[in-house]
Amino acid sequence: MRSSASSPPNSNHQKPPPLSPYLLSRLRDYEHRHKRCDPLSEPFQRDSRELDRKNADSASDCRYIVFTPFAGMGNRMLALSSAFLYALLTDRVLLVDFDPSMRGLFCEPFHNSTWLLPQEFTFMDRVNNLLKNQNQNQNQKLADVTSLLQLDLSTEYNDYDKLFYRDETQELVKNVPWLVLKSNQYFLPYLFLLPCFRTELDQLFPDKEIVFHHLARYLFNPSNQAWGRITRFYDAYLARAEQRIGLQIRVLDPENYPPSFILPHILRCIQDESRILPRLQRNEATTSRIGTSKAVFIASLFTEFYSELKDMYWTRPIADGEETASVAVYRASHERNQESYSNSHNMNALVDIYLLSMCDFLVTTQVSTFGYVAFGLAGVSPWFLKDPRDYERNPSEPACHRAVSPEPCFQFHPTDYDPIAALHRGAAGPAPVIMYCEDAIWGFKLANMMSF
């Protein structure tokens, strides 16, 4: 198994700052705790048997988070990184309940131990969600009522689930030995707004704009099968290029906004605004110029983008006044529909994500969690393609805009409270480390400085 998911040695990436010494120390502590309490250990076996008891007295000092990922590959990886940071902050052991579609995608991240919940673990149907009752009875301790508590932090969570984002709730749940966490979103940024975690997080992550990058590089190591596919493709098609451009295109409404409508705006973005690729002459020709070699890697369920761009740069010459370049266009997968519970589809998605992350420049569809993971792994600030409806409403507006950092967006935070607006009003709260997302103004993301 590979020890880390690193970019190829000839990548043009500027390396992000290294992990802080304090984060390295806390990760080593976590690894020791995980090995001591993982499903192969005696403490885990004893604690599993103790779930038959009605109270929460644990047979050991191990406490657990059982995480259930769902939705697309991007959602799963973002939510899993959030769950891991929460486990790190609360001195818990993270166990994942992978469905068959996730089997064989990743190496075990922790040496000589496992993070996979045993299939014979039979207590998932006895989970309690007592936050509603707890809110009504403040004098009753959760740890006196249940050993197994569910926390739903998915996009469909209700007002009682949102109680998780309160300091007092963290105090209530800290002694419950088993937390069953369900999520499909990057809820990690909100942890920075909880006073109970803020001091620790500031020490772990002095640079707030590469939190996901560091966690994802540590946590997600593609399996030998996945890494073999990634490196073979990279070596065959991308390695020799002087510049690598990743283009991730999500088409959400193909009936009203098909690829033929979106492609001209993509060209405006990559040729006129970001200037990542050179413009072409209008007439067709077979002549070419020798210049910078550029490899374009396209990840999309729709093959039209690949076909059109490939033909365009194969048959037409570079426009006068443009930097000379040779442009080759590639794709690795040929899916048409998203099948989030297909193992082969998820393997293809993982390969595409990592190939995108090995590119020097990235253009991604806004609000796409698939794109979030790719540029987060890369540590590269992407160009966001706008929503096709914006192209229709304002055709003269720029087709894309640059993100300020590679941090993903927390799109579905508790809507009854806007933390940035509260800080803007001067309300008491934590130091400002967040900003509105460039691609989803209803969400927020981590930042080194406040931006309204």
Side-chain angles (χ1 to χ4, degrees):
M1 297 290 185
R2 296 183 317 103
S3 60
S4 65
S6 57
S7 295
N10 63 336
S11 173
N12 293 327
H13 286 170
Q14 289 186 350
K15 292 184 178 180
L19 279 68
S20 70
Y22 185 68
L23 175 56
L24 283 172
S25 173
R26 291 285 280 122
L27 290 174
R28 298 293 89 84
D29 290 342
Y30 176 85
E31 290 163 6
H32 290 305
R33 180 167 62 253
H34 192 100
K35 182 174 176 58
R36 181 169 56 84
C37 302
D38 84 339
L40 304 177
S41 68
E42 291 185 7
F44 178 87
Q45 299 300 324
R46 292 197 304 270
D47 291 340
S48 298
R49 291 193 296 269
E50 285 298 306
L51 279 172
D52 282 327
R53 292 170 44 167
K54 293 183 178 180
N55 60 44
D57 293 334
S58 178
S60 73
D61 61 348
C62 299
R63 292 177 300 146
Y64 308 90
I65 292 177
V66 178
F67 177 71
T68 304
F70 69 101
M73 180 59 65
N75 295 82
R76 296 183 189 205
M77 294 176 72
L78 291 169
L80 186 47
S81 65
S82 301
F84 174 71
L85 180 57
Y86 184 60
L88 190 69
L89 291 170
T90 56
D91 295 328
R92 293 179 178 270
V93 171
L94 176 66
L95 306 176
V96 290
D97 185 20
F98 279 152
D99 62 69
S101 71
M102 295 290 289
R103 302 286 165 80
L105 300 186
F106 297 104
C107 294
E108 292 278 5
F110 313 118
H111 187 59
N112 288 333
S113 60
T114 182
W115 66 343
L116 298 177
L117 184 73
Q119 292 184 358
E120 61 271 18
F121 191 85
T122 59
F123 299 98
M124 296 295 282
D125 59 347
R126 294 170 45 187
V127 174
N128 294 289
N129 187 339
L130 298 181
L131 290 181
K132 178 178 180 179
N133 294 336
Q134 183 65 35
N135 192 52
Q136 297 169 346
N137 186 0
Q138 297 291 337
N139 296 322
Q140 188 178 35
K141 293 183 178 180
L142 279 174
D144 293 335
V145 178
T146 183
S147 298
L148 195 64
L149 177 68
Q150 179 175 336
L151 300 172
D152 186 349
L153 303 182
S154 67
T155 52
E156 298 178 353
Y157 57 177
N158 60 38
D159 288 341
Y160 294 107
D161 297 321
K162 294 173 186 177
L163 295 174
F164 171 85
Y165 297 108
R166 293 185 180 180
D167 249 31
E168 53 267 32
T169 301
Q170 295 304 317
E171 181 67 23
L172 290 171
V173 304
K174 72 178 183 179
N175 292 322
V176 178
W178 296 83
L179 298 181
V180 177
L181 176 60
K182 175 185 177 183
S183 181
N184 62 343
Q185 58 175 332
Y186 188 61
F187 64 86
L188 178 156
Y190 214 105
L191 300 178
F192 282 76
L193 298 182
L194 294 176
C196 61
F197 298 139
R198 182 59 196 279
T199 300
E200 176 78 356
L201 286 168
D202 282 343
Q203 295 182 69
L204 292 171
F205 302 103
D207 188 339
K208 306 298 187 293
E209 296 184 351
I210 51 172
V211 173
F212 176 75
H213 175 80
H214 283 321
L215 290 176
R217 287 285 173 180
Y218 171 79
L219 199 61
F220 302 119
N221 297 295
S223 67
N224 287 347
Q225 179 186 358
W227 190 242
R229 289 181 54 180
I230 293 164
T231 54
R232 285 192 297 273
F233 189 98
Y234 181 89
D235 291 342
Y237 302 110
L238 306 180
R240 297 178 185 85
E242 296 172 85
Q243 291 182 354
R244 287 166 287 276
I245 296 96
L247 184 56
Q248 180 261 333
I249 311 166
R250 182 78 184 271
V251 181
L252 297 175
D253 187 3
E255 291 188 5
N256 293 314
Y257 302 100
S260 59
F261 175 85
I262 299 174
L263 182 60
H265 302 286
I266 294 176
L267 293 175
R268 278 204 298 131
C269 171
I270 61 179
Q271 294 178 342
D272 299 332
E273 293 162 10
S274 67
R275 304 301 298 271
I276 293 173
L277 290 180
R279 289 174 291 188
L280 301 172
Q281 293 185 21
R282 292 186 178 276
N283 62 297
E284 295 186 1
T286 57
T287 59
S288 62
R289 300 182 186 184
I290 298 175
T292 303
S293 61
K294 298 175 182 281
V296 180
F297 175 71
I298 296 181
S300 179
L301 295 175
F302 289 79
T303 61
E304 291 90 334
F305 300 109
Y306 162 77
S307 300
E308 291 290 334
L309 280 173
K310 181 182 179 180
D311 291 345
M312 197 177 298
Y313 277 95
W314 175 255
T315 60
R316 291 164 58 184
I318 304 299
D320 292 336
E322 291 287 292
E323 175 190 3
T324 59
S326 61
V327 180
V329 182
Y330 305 101
R331 64 174 178 177
S333 61
H334 309 277
E335 309 282 358
R336 184 69 181 187
N337 299 305
Q338 181 172 339
E339 299 177 14
S340 299
Y341 293 92
S342 162
N343 185 259
S344 62
H345 179 97
N346 284 337
M347 176 66 78
N348 288 338
L350 186 65
V351 170
D352 277 354
I353 284 173
Y354 270 85
L355 288 171
L356 286 168
S357 78
M358 293 172 175
C359 293
D360 307 301
F361 303 95
L362 282 170
V363 179
T364 71
T365 300
Q366 67 177 20
V367 305
S368 168
T369 55
F370 191 101
Y372 288 175
V373 175
F375 64 69
L377 280 167
V380 171
S381 299
W383 290 83
F384 282 125
L385 295 168
K386 289 188 175 181
D387 189 303
R389 291 171 295 186
D390 292 334
Y391 300 147
E392 191 172 53
R393 287 191 294 261
N394 303 297
S396 62
E397 292 293 316
C400 60
H401 56 284
R402 188 78 183 269
V404 300
S405 78
E407 259 300 297
C409 178
F410 182 15
Q411 296 180 13
F412 297 95
H413 64 82
T415 54
D416 56 342
Y417 172 63
D418 184 338
I420 296 181
L423 288 168
H424 189 53
R425 292 193 303 268
V433 294
I434 54 176
M435 61 176 285
Y436 290 120
C437 302
E438 303 95 337
D439 63 322
I441 59 173
W442 59 88
F444 68 85
K445 61 187 284 186
L446 294 174
N448 288 328
M449 296 183 65
M450 193 60 150
S451 177
F452 296 104

